[in-house]
Amino acid sequence: MSDLHVRCATLTDIDAVLRFWREAAEGTSISDDHDGVSRLISRDPGALLLAERDGLLVGSVIAGFDGWRCSAYRLAVHPDRRRQGIATALLEAAEQRFIALGGRRVDAMVLEANERAHHTWAAGGYHREDHWRRWVKPLTD
């Protein structure tokens, strides 16, 4: 794992991140476009963490903190690089960021149908809270 490098994304990474998510991430978000990722990086330059190996993007996680809640989104590992500790390294980096910012608990958005992800999050010490449901309202059409 010593050849794995985790770093914060920059604006020059946006196109590569979007391509990566199309291949490696499950599902889509309304913010999966250049403007959405640009706003994320501009507003919180430390939130989008990228894992690279041999100069190639192999993983990502969004580690957002609003001063109240730590939120993890878009944990994704390239399909050819899974089961190599990349997700673990990304979650550890996200958790270290949250601790440094004063966070107390991480909420992770995990697709219900993504069984493989359930195992990854559980292995990282996360558990499902069934008494909460996410309610959403798109602000654009």
Side-chain angles (χ1 to χ4, degrees):
M1 279 300 291
S2 63
D3 61 336
L4 186 70
H5 176 67
V6 176
R7 66 173 178 85
C8 298
T10 67
L11 293 173
T12 61
D13 293 310
I14 294 172
D15 292 331
V17 167
L18 291 170
R19 281 191 306 272
F20 174 76
W21 284 346
R22 280 192 294 275
E23 185 173 2
E26 295 287 330
T28 59
S29 165
I30 194 169
S31 298
D32 285 358
D33 59 24
H34 197 278
D35 289 341
V37 179
S38 177
R39 277 191 299 276
L40 170 66
I41 294 170
S42 296
R43 165 123 183 4
D44 187 353
L48 178 52
L49 301 174
L50 304 179
E52 297 175 323
R53 180 170 280 150
D54 301 323
L56 299 174
L57 179 56
V58 295
S60 73
V61 68
I62 298 173
F65 182 64
D66 61 9
W68 176 264
R69 184 167 291 122
C70 305
S71 299
Y73 305 92
R74 297 312 249 167
L75 177 63
V77 174
H78 190 280
D80 295 339
R81 303 294 182 108
R82 293 182 178 151
R83 304 201 49 81
Q84 297 177 17
I86 296 167
T88 298
L90 284 163
L91 288 178
E92 288 173 1
E95 291 166 7
Q96 288 304 310
R97 177 176 199 266
F98 294 144
I99 290 167
L101 293 171
R104 297 179 180 180
R105 181 188 76 195
V106 181
D107 291 337
M109 297 300 299
V110 183
L111 287 172
E112 190 65 30
N114 190 347
E115 292 285 329
R116 184 174 45 239
H118 300 178
H119 297 291
T120 300
W121 287 99
Y126 292 77
H127 66 277
R128 180 183 166 132
E129 285 191 336
D130 289 328
H131 60 278
W132 295 102
R133 285 289 181 246
R134 179 180 177 195
W135 290 40
V136 300
K137 176 185 176 183
L139 298 175
T140 60
D141 290 335

